[in-house]
Every structure is written in structure tokens, then in C-alpha cells.
């Protein structure tokens, strides 16, 4: 039986409850939340919204219902965008904004109202409705972060990362991102898709894991959370003995007696005694679930590239070259993705294949949390290659193809207004499914405003950075409506009065400040 997933709470300030003579069965409370991650409504509804977000970047929204209708209908609306607002839902873009987990792109900077309405789908009765604001900025508002090798994190930093990942899992947002990554494969019969096998492989994944990083910061209410990277070259030649794949970090191999399910560590299956309930990490059945699976070295052909091969790849002069797909025999992108096997080994591809399970297949790989550490390392090597070349834009070979390149004869090219192009892969093209282009993530500006990579072996001394109202791009002010029967006194029933509990006492990150009578 699946255990109820832990919710990690932020600091929440409740106004006083209505007077004892309140008569309506539907009561209204105005609640102001200071720098929240989650908005909690009487142990019934929790809401997630990405903070510190820029225009053109997706804002993730999620809702968890407890004690409400068994068949709930959840709808989101955005008055400033209008009734025709569309969202990304279940890995499909441009869909009506309904469901417990989705994201929406706000086109310009400003303040946007977000409404959420929950209805009992069986009776069509209103359960609750909320309104809050999302403040979208023109530029990054998150302090410069430092991405460190997994082994260089402090215990507190690692535990904070794990808990934040579980919060995203709770709200369905980790799985939502997994579905988007899967959908980016599109037609897998082609040598080049929206995010793989072509020039956008590196910028697409840089944007993707940056979105994951911003969501993790929101989930942990801590702007110092950054993605750890896994320097797998440092685990050669005994790759199977890496501590990264033990219970100390991402958990180990699957258990043969349980069909290779991961049964211990922070991302395991709680149906077995070796997995604590708050570590439960279910995987959707359509993505190889219900359990996280790993099968180390089952793919006998998988190769893990060495540091010498990384060093050789760093001397590649060009970012990418024709035919700009997985048939390339030169170029940094193709080498790092893993297509120039005879020279550089399998790089990115080899680690995926070696771990097995969901991680071995691109459409399911994000459902294994080790994804972010692996791709952070891939991004680190691109980051170092760019820095070595002094990359600013495409003009000195730092990215290709440029906006001006005409690509007649290139497999997969399409004719646009008389010019042959690779949509989604050229310098200023919007990468599916966002309004984000390679030029938005491939320039030197990220080195001074987003993050840096620390050299492996540099222990962290970073202190937590809570999300502050003055720095956050999202600030919630909620008008909460919920159905209760007031019984002539101010104290709620135990079921109504108790907030969602933080069930991981060893990392007590947040507390609840009581301002209302009867709130426990």
C-alpha cells in the first residue's frame, strides 16, 4: 500500500478565526503567507507555485487535496491572460489549465492573478476556491549559486535536496517534468528530436534542469539549493563501487527478488521493509512503474567515458557541424551526447545505459532522480568548454547552426519562407515547449547571474538562503473558502484543526507559527 507522502511546510501566518456566532456553512478567511512554499487550507488543500521566475520561463503549479472529494476536478485560471489561457499538462502543451500538476508560461514581466477552483466532480459541489498572485520578473532574481559534486555537499544540503525532491513528487511536479522530457522525444524514429540528437541537446537540457533547480528551491524554501553534479569519471575504473549509487546518496542497484526495484535509499519503494515510508518514490506505470528500477551493467555494451576522453573532447573546435544529428563524427555536442563512440566513448549515453531501468531509456529517464546529477555534470562540461573558448554567441563557433545558416540538404530540415531551417535548433529559435531559445542559456551571462561549478573536492560552506519576499518573484495573498459547520465555538475539530505534518523530524526545516485560536 502506498504510504501518504510527506509534505514539508513553510512558515505560515494564520489570521484569527471567525467569531463563535458565525452562521454560514461556507466561511471565508483571508490568509497572508510570508515567503511560502505551500499554502495550507485547514489540512485540506496545499498549493505549490514556482517562485523566482522569469518571463518566458514556465511557472509550475501543483495542488494536493486531503479530506476532500474522492473525485476532484481542479481548474486554474489567469484573468490577465484571459479565458483562453493554455498550459502544459501531463506532458502535452497548449492544453486547458486543469488538473493537479501543470505549468504555464507568462509572456511578460508583471503581476498575474492565479485562481484555483476545486469541485467535487461527482456532485458538482464547490469544495474550495483560491486566488493568489504570481510576480514574474524580467531577469533572474535568485542569488548566484554554486553547483558542487555530490560528495562535496554537507549532510544538511543533501537532506534538503532530497526533501525538496520529495515535495515536488508529492505535488506531481516531478512526474509532470518527466512527462515533458518524454514528450520532447516526439518522433523517436528520427535522428534528431526536440531535445536529443541535435544542436539543442545541450541548451534544452540546461534550461530543463535549471527549471528543476528553481522548483527545488521553491520546494525547499531555500534559494541556496543547487543541483549537485556527479563526476562519474572520478569513479573509474571501479565504476560499480561509486558511493553515489549507494544508500548514502541516490540509492543502489535494484533487488533481483523484487524485479530489480530499488528497495532502499532516499528514492525507494515503501512496499518493502527496507524502505522508509517518507522515502517512497512511486513511478507512473506508463513509465515503467510502479517502482523505480535499476539494473547495473545489464547492458553489456555500455561504456563509461574516462577523464582522458573528456580532456580530448574539450579540444573540439566546433560546437556542432552538419548533419547536426546523431550521425555526426565531429563537434562538441555530438561527442558529449555520446555519438562519437570510437573517439570519446559514450559520454552522456553510456551512463544512462549502464544504470539500467527507467534511467536507461530517454523517455523514462527523468523518473530516476539521479538524472539531475548526471545532466548537471553534462552541463558542467559544456560550461567549461564554453569558458575555454570565451564563448559569447554563435559567431566564434560557440553555437551552430546560427540564425543565418541555410540548411538545404540537411536531413530533417524544413523550408520556412524560402529558407531551409532546423526549427527549434537554431540560435534564436524557441525550444519546445517554452519561449526559451539557445541564445537565452548559451551566453556568458549565466556565468555571472545563475550559477558556477565548483571544482570537485571543494567542500561546501554555504549557508541556507531562505526565500525572502523582497527577492521572491511570487508572493501569495489568498482568499480561502472552505465548507465547515461552526458549532458555537472557535475551536475546530481535530481533523479540521491539524495542519499537514512534517514527518521527517531529523531535518526539521520549517515550523508553523500559530496565530489563530484552535490551530494546532
Amino acid at each position: 500500500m502506498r504510504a501518504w507522502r510527506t509534505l514539508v511546510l513553510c512558515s505560515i501566518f494564520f489570521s484569527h478565526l471567525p467569531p463563535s456566532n458565525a452562521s454560514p456553512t461556507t466561511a471565508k478567511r483571508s490568509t497572508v503567507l510570508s515567503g511560502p512554499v505551500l499554502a495550507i487550507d485547514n489540512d485540506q488543500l496545499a498549493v505549490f507555485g514556482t517562485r523566482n521566475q522569469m518571463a518566458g520561463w514556465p511557472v509550475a503549479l501543483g495542488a494536493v487535496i486531503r479530506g476532500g472529494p474522492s473525485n476532484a476536478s481542479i481548474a486554474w485560471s489567469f484573468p490577465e491572460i484571459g479565458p483562453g489561457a493554455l498550459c502544459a499538462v501531463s506532458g502535452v502543451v497548449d492544453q486547458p489549465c486543469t488538473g493537479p500538476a501543470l505549468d504555464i508560461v507568462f509572456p511578460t514581466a508583471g503581476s498575474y492573478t492565479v485562481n484555483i477552483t476545486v469541485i467535487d466532480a461527482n456532485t458538482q459541489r464547490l469544495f474550495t476556491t483560491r486566488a493568489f498572485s504570481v510576480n514574474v520578473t524580467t531577469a533572474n532574481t535568485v542569488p548566484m549559486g554554486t553547483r558542487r559534486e555530490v560528495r562535496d555537499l554537507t549532510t544538511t544540503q543533501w537532506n534538503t535536496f532530497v526533501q525538496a525532491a520529495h515535495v515536488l513528487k508529492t505535488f506531481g511536479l516531478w512526474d509532470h517534468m518527466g512527462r515533458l522530457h518524454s514528450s520532447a522525444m516526439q518522433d523517436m524514429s528520427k535522428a534528431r528530436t526536440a531535445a536529443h540528437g541535435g544542436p539543442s541537446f545541450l541548451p534544452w537540457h540546461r534550461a530543463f534542469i535549471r527549471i528543476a533547480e528553481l522548483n527545488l528551491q521553491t520546494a525547499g524554501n531555500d534559494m541556496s539549493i543547487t543541483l549537485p553534479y556527479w563526476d562519474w569519471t572520478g569513479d573509474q575504473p571501479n565504476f560499480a563501487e561509486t558511493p553515489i549509487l549507494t544508500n548514502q546518496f541516490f540509492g543502489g542497484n535494484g533487488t533481483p527478488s523484487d524485479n530489480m526495484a530499488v528497495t532502499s535509499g532516499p528514492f525507494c519503494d515503501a512496499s518493502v521493509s527496507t524502505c522508509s515510508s517518507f522515502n517512497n518514490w512511486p513511478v507512473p506505470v506508463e513509465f515503467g512503474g510502479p517502482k523505480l528500477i535499476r539494473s547495473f551493467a545489464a547492458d553489456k555494451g555500455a561504456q563509461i567515458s574516462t577523464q582522458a576522453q573528456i580532456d580530448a573532447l574539450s579540444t573540439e573546435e566546433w560546437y556542432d557541424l552538419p548533419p547536426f544529428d546523431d550521425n555526426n563524427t565531429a563537434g562538441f555536442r555530438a561527442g558529449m551526447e555520446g555519438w562519437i563512440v570510437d573517439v570519446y566513448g559514450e559520454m552522456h549515453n553510456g551512463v544512462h545505459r549502464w544504470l539500467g531501468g527507467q534511467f536507461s531509456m530517454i523517455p523514462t529517464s527523468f523518473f530516476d532522480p539521479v538524472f539531475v546529477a548526471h545532466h548537471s555534470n553534462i552541463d558542467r562540461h559544456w560550461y567549461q568548454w564554453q569558458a575555454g573558448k570565451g564563448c559569447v554567441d554563435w559567431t566564434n563557433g560557440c553555437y551552430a547552426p546560427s540564425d543565418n545558416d541555410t540548411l538545404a540538404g540537411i536531413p530533417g530540415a524544413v523550408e520556412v519562407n524560402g529558407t531551409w531551417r532546423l526549427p527549434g535548433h537554431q540560435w534564436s529559435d524557441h525550444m519546445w515547449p517554452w519561449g526559451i531559445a539557445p541564445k537565452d542559456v548559451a551566453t556568458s551571462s549565466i556565468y555571472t547571474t545563475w550559477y558556477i561549478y565548483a571544482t570537485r573536492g571543494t567542500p561546501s560552506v554555504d549557508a541556507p538562503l531562505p526565500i525572502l519576499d523582497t527577492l521572491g518573484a511570487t508572493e501569495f495573498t489568498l482568499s480561502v473558502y472552505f465548507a465547515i459547520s461552526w458549532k458555537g465555538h472557535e475551536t475546530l475539530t481535530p481533523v479540521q484543526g491539524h495542519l499537514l505534518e512534517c514527518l521527517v523530524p531529523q531535518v526539521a526545516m520549517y515550523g508553523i507559527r500559530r496565530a489563530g485560536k484552535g490551530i494546532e
Side-chain angles (χ1 to χ4, degrees), residues 112-342:
Y112 293 86
T113 301
V114 179
N115 297 317
I116 177 174
T117 302
V118 182
I119 294 174
D120 186 327
N122 295 327
T123 65
Q124 296 302 303
R125 182 179 179 181
L126 175 67
F127 175 66
T128 189
T129 183
R130 291 174 175 245
F132 57 92
S133 62
V134 173
N135 300 319
V136 178
T137 65
T138 57
N140 176 51
T141 60
V142 181
M144 168 72 80
T146 301
R147 292 182 178 175
R148 301 182 185 276
E149 218 275 341
V150 177
R151 284 160 278 210
D152 292 330
L153 297 179
T154 66
T155 300
T156 297
Q157 287 173 328
W158 172 251
N159 288 339
T160 301
F161 166 80
V162 169
Q163 283 207 48
H166 276 278
V167 170
L168 294 184
K169 190 71 168 176
T170 296
F171 281 90
L173 294 173
W174 193 283
D175 292 353
H176 170 68
M177 292 193 68
R179 289 184 169 94
L180 282 179
H181 183 261
S182 177
S183 296
M185 285 299 296
Q186 298 176 2
D187 186 352
M188 293 179 62
S189 67
K190 297 179 179 179
R192 182 193 313 107
T193 64
H196 299 86
S200 73
F201 168 72
L202 291 171
W204 193 97
H205 283 84
R206 175 171 286 174
F208 182 69
I209 64 173
R210 176 61 172 172
I211 292 166
E213 187 169 63
L214 293 170
N215 286 339
L216 286 165
Q217 290 172 354
T218 301
N221 203 30
D222 182 352
M223 290 187 294
S224 66
I225 294 176
T226 53
L227 298 180
Y229 70 85
W230 173 21
D231 180 8
W232 25 262
T233 62
D235 294 309
Q236 298 282 40
N238 300 315
F239 190 72
E241 298 177 9
T242 173
I244 303 303
L245 299 175
T246 66
N247 293 342
Q248 181 181 359
F249 293 112
F250 285 96
N253 199 7
T255 301
S257 61
D258 199 359
N259 297 315
M260 301 312 293
V262 177
T263 56
S264 61
F267 306 105
C268 54
D269 182 73
S271 66
V272 297
S273 59
T274 53
C275 180
S276 300
S277 60
F278 53 77
N279 287 340
N280 190 35
W281 191 263
V283 175
V285 174
E286 65 270 31
F287 293 98
K291 302 176 182 180
L292 177 62
I293 303 295
R294 291 182 186 146
S295 185
F296 294 172
D299 186 341
K300 302 300 182 183
Q303 301 180 29
I304 306 299
S305 295
T306 65
Q307 184 61 50
Q309 289 172 317
I310 288 283
D311 294 341
L313 179 59
S314 68
T315 66
E316 277 279 350
E317 182 177 1
W318 300 102
Y319 173 81
D320 215 341
L321 296 164
F324 300 114
D325 60 19
D326 61 10
N327 295 305
N328 282 38
T329 58
F332 182 82
R333 187 275 311 170
M336 182 53 67
E337 192 169 0
W339 303 120
I340 312 177
V341 179
D342 56 338

Side-chain angles (χ1 to χ4, degrees), residues 324-371:
F324 300 114
D325 60 19
D326 61 10
N327 295 305
N328 282 38
T329 58
F332 182 82
R333 187 275 311 170
M336 182 53 67
E337 192 169 0
W339 303 120
I340 312 177
V341 179
D342 56 338
V343 180
Y344 304 121
E346 288 194 285
M347 292 291 175
H348 158 265
N349 294 345
V351 178
H352 276 282
R353 292 177 59 195
W354 190 92
L355 261 70
Q358 283 93 357
F359 197 63
S360 67
M361 298 176 288
I362 291 175
T364 61
S365 57
F366 188 75
F367 292 93
D368 190 328
V370 79
F371 180 103

Side-chain angles (χ1 to χ4, degrees), residues 16-22 42 482 484-498 514 516-520:
H16 289 286
L17 295 176
S20 60
N21 61 357
N42 193 40
F482 55 93
I484 60 175
S485 295
W486 296 99
K487 300 180 179 180
H489 54 78
E490 294 179 285
T491 304
L492 302 180
T493 66
V495 173
Q496 293 169 333
H498 286 289
R514 292 179 290 174
K517 194 172 183 181
I519 300 296
E520 298 294 331

